[in-house]
Amino acid sequence: MSGPDGKKYLHSMTGLQSVEYTKESVEALLQRNEKADLLRIATAGSVDDGKSTLIGRLLYEAKGIFEDQLASIRDYSRTHSRGEFDYSLVTDGLKAEREQGITIDVAYRYFSTPKRRFIIADTPGHEQYTRNMATGASTAQLALILVDAVNGVGVQTRRHAFISSLLGIRHLVLAVNKMDLVGYEESVFEKIVAVCRLFADKLPVDSLHFIPLSALQGDNVVEKSDRMPWYKGAPLLDYLENVVVLGERNLRDFRFPVQRVVWTGKTFRGYAGTIASGVVRAGDEIFVLPSGVTSRVKRIAAWDVDKQYAFAPQAVVVELEDDVDISRGDMIARPKNLPTLTDEVEASLVWMNEKPLRPGGTYLFKHCSRYVKGTVTALKYRLDPRDLHRKEAEEFRLNEIGRAFVSFVKPLYADEYRDNAATGAFIVVDPVSNLTVGAGMIERCMTHLSINTEGAEKQKEAKTFWLPLDTPEEEIEHILHEHRPVMRLDWEDLEKGLNADLSEAQVDEKIRRIHHVCELGNASGVSVILLCFPFPPDERFRKQLGENPWFGDIS
């Protein structure tokens, strides 16, 4: 494009650059951006700490804003009496945010410098939108948490720091903003640093860095400030360009959740998805869950080209040498490096719904590309964001964080979150409203079910249990725990429903119907409890069953 001075300019992630528009300059720019390292950053903090202003200043100084955006922001700033240029408008794009002066949604911005490429997620500061903050931080490598120098450290600052560490972010930068409002006093900065260290030192992070700055005035954002000579560290952009972020991506354990089967008739059948972790190469031997079938990778396709290898988090289509029955929700791994097959986990939960979470609640859990029904069986503790102490909890309320035990109807192919974030996390979905109500990170797999590497999963045999009225509750609970999934059938319920049209004398027909229901349940892998029936499982009942192998032992 042509600039106001008549020169040719390039549009790029770094804004307008006054270089001649030649083929060589374009290729050089593309090669530079391609080779530059990428850093994903999530910002967080309390309301009015200045996150949007800081990001706007950072993008402005790094020439990461196009001219038409700059003109629009200048016009809006003048119209609404916000001065010559309101940096917060670079990210606060929603009309509701501009009217309220707060960030509601997660705004993503991209820019680059000669040293590095950046993706910044400007996440909400208001407590009501903590769920959005968790979303923005879920893919970040570094968390930039702002603290207002005037107001000091708040509860939201502690909550956001903990959520960041909970989501696997191992690098935290605490930027003490608005230093211009406290006279650039070193004592104010040191006091905030001391308070932050009291809780931040308890977090499992690799690096913790503090920077005093003023986003509005530009102090220590891009250039080192002369008004804070006592600060000997680097300004923010310089630190972000040089911070070493290594080892967060798991390239050891190959996990490929299948999202879609690509079939073009007789010529091609491939399996599309995003590699959750690890590396796959053409010719590699693979193992399919849950079928237990093995094959080899014939082809790896990405867009319109074939690859010899692919790695996380690339989206590819994998073609196998054999015609294997694979569907959405299955997982492809390596025969000697399989995920854990588990139907019960201990997980850290961030609750995001106004309706509290209580033990016994049944939800849908989205894990990789599968939806599995499950139940939150117990709450272990709740974390107090003010001091990160563990507190007893009968429920988790909106924005609360804690540990819980979750039981699933069907097993997950999972890893612990610390080892593999992609297969160690899940989303909690309300089955009625279909709203996302929580996010979980698997801390421990409570059960380790065996996987038959010669075929299918080794499932527990489904059985039917005939229990008399005086059966102790402990025995019922034991069956419910050891033989999941379990369907419970009470006599009174069946009399009102399944057998409502039968008389008391038609016992044989009642038995036949009940037997048929049990048979269908067991055939589907579901155990059945027959509770409080008025007649015992006598010879007549046994004869009615015959040699049905699905019914199992009668207790």
Side-chain angles (χ1 to χ4, degrees):
M1 62 172 286
S2 297
D5 54 2
K7 291 183 178 180
K8 298 293 185 180
Y9 284 79
L10 290 179
H11 262 304
S12 73
M13 294 175 65
T14 57
L16 289 172
Q17 301 180 14
S18 56
V19 297
E20 289 298 324
Y21 188 90
T22 64
K23 180 180 178 181
E24 291 74 17
S25 61
V26 172
E27 290 180 350
L29 178 63
L30 293 176
Q31 289 179 4
R32 189 195 74 188
N33 282 338
E34 183 178 355
K35 293 180 180 179
D37 186 26
L38 174 65
L39 180 64
R40 293 181 173 88
I41 304 171
T43 63
S46 301
V47 175
D48 294 331
D49 278 350
K51 298 180 299 301
S52 299
T53 300
L54 176 60
I55 296 174
R57 166 71 75 170
L58 197 62
L59 293 173
Y60 179 82
E61 297 286 353
K63 296 181 174 62
I65 311 174
F66 294 126
E67 283 295 337
D68 56 343
Q69 291 176 294
L70 289 173
S72 176
I73 293 172
R74 286 194 182 100
D75 292 342
Y76 190 92
S77 299
R78 295 192 189 102
T79 304
H80 292 75
S81 302
R82 295 190 177 192
E84 179 67 21
F85 192 86
D86 186 350
Y87 296 100
S88 68
L89 298 182
V90 176
T91 54
D92 284 346
L94 296 181
K95 181 179 179 181
E97 294 178 349
R98 292 186 174 184
E99 291 174 349
Q100 299 177 44
I102 63 173
T103 303
I104 296 175
D105 205 353
V106 180
Y108 292 92
R109 290 295 180 268
Y110 311 84
F111 75 101
S112 67
T113 68
K115 290 185 177 181
R116 205 168 217 168
R117 292 178 295 147
F118 300 91
I119 299 177
I120 300 181
D122 180 23
T123 63
H126 197 281
E127 182 178 356
Q128 180 182 353
Y129 304 107
T130 300
R131 71 197 79 174
N132 302 65
M133 181 270 159
T135 301
S138 61
T139 58
Q141 301 162 289
L142 180 145
L144 176 60
I145 302 174
L146 271 73
V147 181
D148 190 324
V150 177
N151 299 323
V153 181
V155 175
Q156 273 296 82
T157 304
R158 292 179 169 89
R159 180 181 284 112
H160 287 161
F162 179 75
I163 291 177
S164 299
S165 66
L166 190 67
L167 292 171
I169 298 177
R170 294 293 176 260
H171 304 275
L172 301 183
V173 176
L174 276 80
V176 182
N177 191 27
K178 302 184 182 181
M179 288 297 296
D180 54 311
L181 299 183
V182 294
Y184 301 101
E185 288 292 334
E186 180 182 8
S187 59
V188 176
F189 174 71
E190 292 298 335
K191 182 179 179 181
I192 291 175
V193 169
V195 174
C196 288
R197 287 195 181 278
L198 289 177
F199 70 87
D201 286 344
K202 302 176 184 177
L203 303 176
V205 296
D206 295 335
S207 66
L208 179 63
H209 193 73
F210 298 89
I211 300 177
L213 53 83
S214 171
L216 187 62
Q217 303 300 327
D219 297 286
N220 282 340
V221 178
V222 175
E223 300 292 338
K224 190 168 176 59
S225 174
D226 295 333
R227 288 178 280 201
M228 288 180 280
W230 45 265
Y231 174 66
K232 304 303 180 182
L236 178 62
L237 182 59
D238 185 42
Y239 178 82
L240 295 178
E241 284 183 320
N242 294 285
V243 62
V244 178
V245 179
L246 298 174
E248 280 78 10
R249 186 181 301 174
N250 184 338
L251 297 177
R252 179 186 67 253
D253 307 316
F254 176 59
R255 308 284 187 261
F256 185 67
V258 177
Q259 297 176 354
R260 182 184 177 187
V261 178
V262 180
W263 184 55
T264 60
K266 296 181 179 180
T267 58
F268 180 81
R269 181 190 292 271
Y271 309 100
T274 300
I275 301 175
S277 62
V279 180
V280 63
R281 295 176 177 82
D284 282 354
E285 185 180 10
I286 57 90
F287 185 92
V288 182
L289 291 165
S291 66
V293 176
T294 59
S295 183
R296 289 189 178 275
V297 177
K298 179 180 179 180
R299 177 185 174 193
I300 303 171
W303 292 98
D304 57 346
V305 298
D306 287 358
K307 291 177 170 290
Q308 288 300 311
Y309 66 92
F311 53 87
Q314 291 180 334
V316 296
V317 177
V318 175
E319 183 183 5
L320 303 181
E321 292 182 354
D322 304 296
D323 189 8
V324 180
D325 183 15
I326 300 177
S327 59
R328 175 180 171 85
D330 292 354
M331 181 176 289
I332 300 176
R334 299 190 188 281
K336 296 182 180 180
N337 184 350
L338 298 175
T340 300
L341 184 65
T342 182
D343 60 1
E344 187 175 9
V345 301
E346 179 183 344
S348 295
L349 285 180
V350 180
W351 194 242
M352 306 176 180
N353 194 24
E354 294 182 357
K355 182 180 178 181
L357 168 67
R358 297 186 178 92
T362 299
Y363 299 92
L364 289 174
F365 295 84
K366 185 180 185 300
H367 177 258
C368 295
S369 57
R370 299 174 69 204
Y371 281 92
V372 179
K373 275 190 176 182
T375 303
V376 178
T377 56
L379 304 181
K380 189 174 182 179
Y381 59 77
R382 174 184 62 83
L383 276 166
D384 190 331
R386 292 169 295 185
D387 53 18
L388 299 184
H389 287 171
R390 301 175 180 181
K391 305 293 179 65
E392 291 186 3
E394 296 182 354
E395 62 182 18
F396 288 169
R397 298 180 181 178
L398 177 65
N399 296 327
E400 289 190 335
I401 307 165
R403 285 282 185 95
F405 295 98
V406 184
S407 175
F408 304 101
V409 171
K410 292 183 178 181
L412 303 183
Y413 322 121
D415 298 287
E416 293 180 355
Y417 190 85
R418 67 177 67 88
D419 298 326
N420 197 331
T423 55
F426 55 80
I427 296 172
V428 189
V429 179
D430 188 308
V432 178
S433 64
N434 204 37
L435 294 175
T436 298
V437 294
M441 286 63 69
I442 298 174
E443 304 292 347
R444 183 163 59 107
C445 296
M446 304 295 294
T447 57
H448 293 257
L449 306 179
S450 60
I451 300 176
N452 184 1
T453 55
E454 298 178 356
E457 301 171 4
K458 291 182 178 178
Q459 299 284 0
K460 295 178 181 178
E461 182 184 1
K463 298 182 178 182
T464 294
F465 299 87
W466 189 303
L467 303 180
L469 183 61
D470 58 351
T471 301
E473 190 65 29
E474 293 78 7
E475 183 175 339
I476 298 175
E477 290 294 329
H478 175 75
I479 295 173
L480 290 171
H481 180 77
E482 293 295 325
H483 295 272
R484 290 191 305 268
V486 181
M487 176 172 60
R488 173 171 167 168
L489 299 179
D490 288 59
W491 174 257
E492 292 183 359
D493 293 336
L494 291 178
E495 286 290 278
K496 296 176 182 178
L498 181 68
N499 296 330
D501 60 325
L502 301 178
S503 66
E504 294 183 3
Q506 294 177 289
V507 176
D508 289 341
E509 177 59 19
K510 291 182 179 181
I511 292 177
R512 190 196 67 77
R513 292 184 181 182
I514 295 169
H515 161 238
H516 185 63
V517 172
C518 296
E519 184 180 36
L520 292 175
N522 293 164
S524 302
V526 178
S527 294
V528 182
I529 292 179
L530 303 177
L531 188 63
C532 305
F533 280 64
F535 44 83
D538 55 15
E539 292 300 322
R540 176 184 57 184
F541 185 75
R542 294 179 184 274
K543 185 177 180 180
Q544 177 78 15
L545 294 176
E547 297 297 325
N548 176 18
W550 286 106
F551 201 83
D553 298 330
I554 301 173
S555 301

